[in-house]
Amino acid sequence: MTVLAHDRGGPSGTPTVLLLHAGVADRRMWEPQWPALTAEHDVVRVDLRGFGESTVRPDGALDPVADVVATLRALEVERVHVVGCSLGAGVAAELAVAHPTLVASLVLVTPGGALIPEATEQLRTFGRAEDAAVEADDLDAAVQANVDWWVDGPHRDADPERAAVRSEVAQMQRRAFEVTADWDDVAEAELDPPVLERLAELVVPTLVLAGGLDLDAIGLAVQAVVDGVPDVRLETWPDVAHLPSLERPDDFAELVLDWLRSQPR
């Protein structure tokens, strides 16, 4: 497997934290938290394959978990606290199931990807808008659909106060579309049985962060994790949608740091 594009910072000898980005972003989404997290911890953030600077097309099936494991091995990291958002939360949960000795704790932020149990009408509406734009070769419209649904969410209009977040996410999402433009024939590896059927195997301490203004499909994922994971704590921020780390960056950094401080070394 290819070593993913990554950054590493923070004092050596401290617990290692792995940051896995959302599917509408890349490792740049963690920039607001980077100074605070690296002040206390050895932190690794990666671009999953097909995002940011991880541009190598897979030879076989796309396997984010295998890519993450290969990257951690190359960095000689034996155990990590994993913070994953959306798609990254799904990868984090799959990582913990497939490689249980590697993961010390989980922070699952607005869990998506493999953790979504049902394609709700909201999620299908987004999918139709994105698919129509892609089929029309209208990259601007495809990016806009993602920004509308995942930054603002289904319950808010595009408020000017989120203009900077919208712009940042648009740049990252556009990059992902460009990198994977010719990847239509790439299959995706899946756990068997899938992670949603194995949540009881997630025996590490787990924090789930939900956004009160997120899509209902993500709410179903949150509930599935809370119901299925043995050692879980739920935190809900009613005033944010799918990307709480970008909407409330300082609060998010403090939430993660408090969580990490509470974990045994």
Side-chain angles (χ1 to χ4, degrees):
M1 292 293 172
T2 300
V3 173
L4 298 169
H6 63 276
D7 302 308
R8 188 175 190 177
S12 61
T14 57
T16 303
V17 181
L18 172 66
L19 305 177
L20 300 176
H21 59 78
V24 291
D26 53 45
R27 74 186 195 270
R28 290 174 286 178
M29 76 169 286
W30 305 114
E31 192 62 33
Q33 290 81 40
W34 191 251
L37 294 181
T38 56
E40 296 188 20
H41 291 276
D42 172 32
V43 185
V44 177
R45 59 178 175 177
V46 301
D47 284 335
L48 296 172
R49 195 190 296 251
F51 298 88
E53 296 179 316
S54 291
T55 61
V56 176
R57 178 187 170 100
D59 292 332
L62 182 66
D63 192 338
V65 171
D67 287 339
V68 168
V69 170
T71 303
L72 293 176
R73 285 176 177 164
L75 296 174
E76 299 182 343
V77 174
E78 296 181 354
R79 195 158 170 83
V80 287
H81 299 275
V82 188
V83 180
C85 180
S86 187
L87 170 69
V91 174
E94 290 183 316
L95 178 69
V97 166
H99 301 272
T101 63
L102 185 58
V103 177
S105 76
L106 291 167
V107 179
L108 304 179
V109 183
T110 58
L115 292 171
I116 295 178
E118 178 185 339
T120 63
E121 182 56 32
Q122 285 182 358
L123 189 58
R124 289 194 296 268
T125 300
F126 156 70
R128 288 192 291 267
E130 183 187 58
D131 289 346
V134 171
E135 290 174 8
D137 200 24
D138 189 344
L139 185 57
D140 289 339
V143 169
Q144 189 65 46
N146 278 274
V147 170
D148 289 344
W149 282 92
W150 300 113
V151 176
D152 297 319
H155 307 290
R156 303 185 295 189
D157 294 327
D159 194 297
E161 71 179 13
R162 290 188 298 280
V165 176
R166 290 170 61 87
S167 176
E168 182 179 358
V169 172
Q171 291 176 21
M172 293 186 285
Q173 178 63 78
R174 180 178 293 273
R175 174 64 174 166
F177 279 131
E178 292 170 346
V179 169
T180 61
D182 63 348
W183 289 20
D184 290 345
D185 59 337
V186 174
E188 296 187 20
E190 297 180 355
L191 283 185
D192 184 20
V195 68
L196 276 172
E197 297 178 15
R198 303 171 65 178
L199 294 176
E201 297 178 36
L202 296 177
V203 295
V204 296
T206 301
L207 171 64
V208 177
L209 177 59
L213 302 176
D214 208 343
L215 276 72
D216 54 4
I218 305 303
L220 294 177
V222 168
Q223 194 59 55
V225 172
V226 170
D227 289 344
V229 174
D231 183 4
V232 66
R233 173 187 141 202
L234 173 63
E235 177 107 3
T236 301
W237 289 357
D239 59 334
V240 303
H242 195 60
L243 300 171
S245 66
L246 292 175
E247 289 201 56
R248 291 172 53 180
D250 294 340
D251 292 336
F252 184 82
E254 194 57 36
L255 177 72
V256 172
L257 285 171
D258 284 348
W259 172 259
L260 294 171
R261 291 168 187 148
S262 73
Q263 301 306 310
R265 293 211 171 199

